[in-house]
Amino acid sequence: MKLTTKGHYSVKALLDLSLQPGYGPASVRAIALRQDIPAPYLEKLLIEMRRAGLVKSIRGSIGGYQLALKPAEISIGQILESVGENMTRLPHQTPTAADTEDWVTFTLWQRLNQKLKEALYSITLADLYYDARSWQASLGEEASFVV
């Protein structure tokens, strides 16, 4: 599986939202500036994630987007799926019974794809947050955060 820009930006944006005090709202512009994401593209991704129930939008001068769930309840798999990322890259052609070697290879890739999908759904935003904070602490960095 290859993580596309769409998937990468989506994870970055939600991780950014998980860092907001009290998980309060953040504007598209603020997230885009912090994470170096083009704001119009980010807006489209956030709309897709809102439709999937991962974020909610708040109107008004102090509005923006905020997480709809706690970071521990949002998996990377959910984020990627919400923006249309394909998490399985299997051949479109199923081998015939006569092609034993091809069948073995095909089932191997099926199993690997299943394990990858399980891993993506088991890793949460909270996990990424703590991993990033641990890495920053090991480098002696301050609490500023860019994914």
Side-chain angles (χ1 to χ4, degrees), residues 120-140:
L120 289 171
Y121 278 90
S122 70
I123 300 167
T124 67
L125 278 178
D127 296 328
L128 292 184
Y129 170 84
Y130 292 117
D131 288 348
R133 289 294 191 212
S134 296
W135 177 70
Q136 285 180 325
S138 73
L139 297 174

Tab-separated table of all heavy atoms in Angstrom, residues 120-140:
chain	number	residue	atom	x	y	z
A	120	LEU	N	-3.892	-0.901	10.313
A	120	LEU	CA	-4.356	0.473	10.120
A	120	LEU	C	-5.577	0.790	10.976
A	120	LEU	O	-5.754	1.920	11.426
A	120	LEU	CB	-4.658	0.738	8.646
A	120	LEU	CG	-3.440	0.813	7.732
A	120	LEU	CD1	-3.871	0.855	6.271
A	120	LEU	CD2	-2.577	2.013	8.081
A	121	TYR	N	-6.421	-0.207	11.202
A	121	TYR	CA	-7.597	0.006	12.040
A	121	TYR	C	-7.290	-0.141	13.532
A	121	TYR	O	-8.116	0.214	14.359
A	121	TYR	CB	-8.738	-0.922	11.626
A	121	TYR	CG	-9.496	-0.379	10.444
A	121	TYR	CD1	-9.132	-0.698	9.146
A	121	TYR	CD2	-10.562	0.500	10.624
A	121	TYR	CE1	-9.812	-0.172	8.065
A	121	TYR	CE2	-11.243	1.030	9.544
A	121	TYR	CZ	-10.866	0.684	8.268
A	121	TYR	OH	-11.534	1.218	7.194
A	122	SER	N	-6.112	-0.634	13.866
A	122	SER	CA	-5.757	-0.760	15.288
A	122	SER	C	-4.929	0.425	15.788
A	122	SER	O	-4.818	0.642	16.984
A	122	SER	CB	-5.003	-2.070	15.540
A	122	SER	OG	-3.712	-2.011	14.969
A	123	ILE	N	-4.361	1.209	14.894
A	123	ILE	CA	-3.568	2.376	15.272
A	123	ILE	C	-4.491	3.594	15.305
A	123	ILE	O	-5.187	3.868	14.336
A	123	ILE	CB	-2.409	2.612	14.280
A	123	ILE	CG1	-1.484	1.401	14.238
A	123	ILE	CG2	-1.638	3.876	14.649
A	123	ILE	CD1	-0.502	1.414	13.086
A	124	THR	N	-4.482	4.302	16.430
A	124	THR	CA	-5.371	5.452	16.585
A	124	THR	C	-4.593	6.766	16.546
A	124	THR	O	-3.364	6.777	16.619
A	124	THR	CB	-6.126	5.382	17.922
A	124	THR	OG1	-5.186	5.536	18.994
A	124	THR	CG2	-6.892	4.066	18.070
A	125	LEU	N	-5.342	7.856	16.465
A	125	LEU	CA	-4.730	9.182	16.555
A	125	LEU	C	-3.993	9.350	17.879
A	125	LEU	O	-2.933	9.966	17.923
A	125	LEU	CB	-5.798	10.272	16.447
A	125	LEU	CG	-6.266	10.662	15.073
A	125	LEU	CD1	-7.365	11.711	15.173
A	125	LEU	CD2	-5.136	11.169	14.226
A	126	ALA	N	-4.545	8.794	18.936
A	126	ALA	CA	-3.893	8.887	20.241
A	126	ALA	C	-2.531	8.193	20.205
A	126	ALA	O	-1.562	8.699	20.769
A	126	ALA	CB	-4.784	8.276	21.328
A	127	ASP	N	-2.447	7.054	19.542
A	127	ASP	CA	-1.167	6.348	19.419
A	127	ASP	C	-0.139	7.219	18.700
A	127	ASP	O	1.010	7.324	19.124
A	127	ASP	CB	-1.334	5.035	18.639
A	127	ASP	CG	-2.221	4.031	19.332
A	127	ASP	OD1	-2.249	4.005	20.580
A	127	ASP	OD2	-2.909	3.268	18.618
A	128	LEU	N	-0.556	7.835	17.597
A	128	LEU	CA	0.355	8.689	16.844
A	128	LEU	C	0.791	9.892	17.668
A	128	LEU	O	1.949	10.309	17.616
A	128	LEU	CB	-0.294	9.171	15.549
A	128	LEU	CG	-0.562	8.126	14.477
A	128	LEU	CD1	-1.118	8.796	13.230
A	128	LEU	CD2	0.675	7.331	14.147
A	129	TYR	N	-0.127	10.451	18.406
A	129	TYR	CA	0.169	11.602	19.258
A	129	TYR	C	1.276	11.245	20.256
A	129	TYR	O	2.268	11.960	20.379
A	129	TYR	CB	-1.103	12.039	19.989
A	129	TYR	CG	-0.866	13.065	21.061
A	129	TYR	CD1	-0.803	14.418	20.741
A	129	TYR	CD2	-0.714	12.696	22.394
A	129	TYR	CE1	-0.586	15.369	21.718
A	129	TYR	CE2	-0.501	13.643	23.371
A	129	TYR	CZ	-0.436	14.974	23.028
A	129	TYR	OH	-0.218	15.915	23.990
A	130	TYR	N	1.109	10.136	20.952
A	130	TYR	CA	2.111	9.742	21.954
A	130	TYR	C	3.433	9.336	21.313
A	130	TYR	O	4.496	9.603	21.867
A	130	TYR	CB	1.563	8.644	22.867
A	130	TYR	CG	0.450	9.158	23.742
A	130	TYR	CD1	-0.839	8.649	23.651
A	130	TYR	CD2	0.678	10.191	24.658
A	130	TYR	CE1	-1.866	9.150	24.442
A	130	TYR	CE2	-0.344	10.695	25.447
A	130	TYR	CZ	-1.607	10.164	25.338
A	130	TYR	OH	-2.620	10.671	26.116
A	131	ASP	N	3.382	8.718	20.142
A	131	ASP	CA	4.614	8.394	19.429
A	131	ASP	C	5.378	9.665	19.060
A	131	ASP	O	6.589	9.752	19.246
A	131	ASP	CB	4.318	7.604	18.149
A	131	ASP	CG	3.868	6.182	18.405
A	131	ASP	OD1	3.992	5.712	19.555
A	131	ASP	OD2	3.376	5.545	17.455
A	132	ALA	N	4.651	10.656	18.548
A	132	ALA	CA	5.293	11.914	18.148
A	132	ALA	C	5.862	12.645	19.360
A	132	ALA	O	6.976	13.174	19.313
A	132	ALA	CB	4.294	12.797	17.408
A	133	ARG	N	5.109	12.692	20.438
A	133	ARG	CA	5.584	13.371	21.650
A	133	ARG	C	6.823	12.665	22.218
A	133	ARG	O	7.757	13.327	22.665
A	133	ARG	CB	4.482	13.432	22.709
A	133	ARG	CG	3.369	14.383	22.362
A	133	ARG	CD	3.878	15.804	22.340
A	133	ARG	NE	2.758	16.727	22.269
A	133	ARG	CZ	2.779	17.873	21.673
A	133	ARG	NH1	3.861	18.289	21.081
A	133	ARG	NH2	1.722	18.633	21.645
A	134	SER	N	6.835	11.354	22.205
A	134	SER	CA	7.993	10.600	22.694
A	134	SER	C	9.216	10.894	21.843
A	134	SER	O	10.321	11.080	22.352
A	134	SER	CB	7.708	9.092	22.676
A	134	SER	OG	6.685	8.781	23.558
A	135	TRP	N	9.033	10.935	20.537
A	135	TRP	CA	10.134	11.217	19.622
A	135	TRP	C	10.664	12.617	19.863
A	135	TRP	O	11.878	12.821	19.948
A	135	TRP	CB	9.659	11.035	18.183
A	135	TRP	CG	10.700	11.367	17.170
A	135	TRP	CD1	11.843	10.671	16.897
A	135	TRP	CD2	10.703	12.493	16.294
A	135	TRP	NE1	12.552	11.285	15.902
A	135	TRP	CE2	11.874	12.420	15.512
A	135	TRP	CE3	9.839	13.556	16.098
A	135	TRP	CZ2	12.182	13.366	14.548
A	135	TRP	CZ3	10.153	14.489	15.129
A	135	TRP	CH2	11.319	14.389	14.373
A	136	GLN	N	9.757	13.593	20.003
A	136	GLN	CA	10.182	14.969	20.251
A	136	GLN	C	10.925	15.077	21.582
A	136	GLN	O	11.935	15.765	21.671
A	136	GLN	CB	8.981	15.923	20.257
A	136	GLN	CG	8.460	16.208	18.869
A	136	GLN	CD	7.282	17.156	18.903
A	136	GLN	OE1	6.467	17.120	19.809
A	136	GLN	NE2	7.198	18.008	17.902
A	137	ALA	N	10.430	14.399	22.593
A	137	ALA	CA	11.082	14.440	23.903
A	137	ALA	C	12.480	13.834	23.828
A	137	ALA	O	13.415	14.336	24.460
A	137	ALA	CB	10.239	13.710	24.933
A	138	SER	N	12.624	12.769	23.047
A	138	SER	CA	13.943	12.138	22.928
A	138	SER	C	14.944	13.060	22.246
A	138	SER	O	16.149	12.941	22.445
A	138	SER	CB	13.842	10.818	22.165
A	138	SER	OG	13.621	11.044	20.790
A	139	LEU	N	14.439	13.996	21.433
A	139	LEU	CA	15.298	14.959	20.763
A	139	LEU	C	15.486	16.232	21.586
A	139	LEU	O	16.224	17.130	21.183
A	139	LEU	CB	14.714	15.325	19.392
A	139	LEU	CG	14.602	14.204	18.379
A	139	LEU	CD1	13.884	14.684	17.133
A	139	LEU	CD2	15.965	13.639	18.026
A	140	GLY	N	14.771	16.308	22.709
A	140	GLY	CA	14.860	17.496	23.565
A	140	GLY	C	14.123	18.691	23.003
A	140	GLY	O	14.416	19.820	23.346
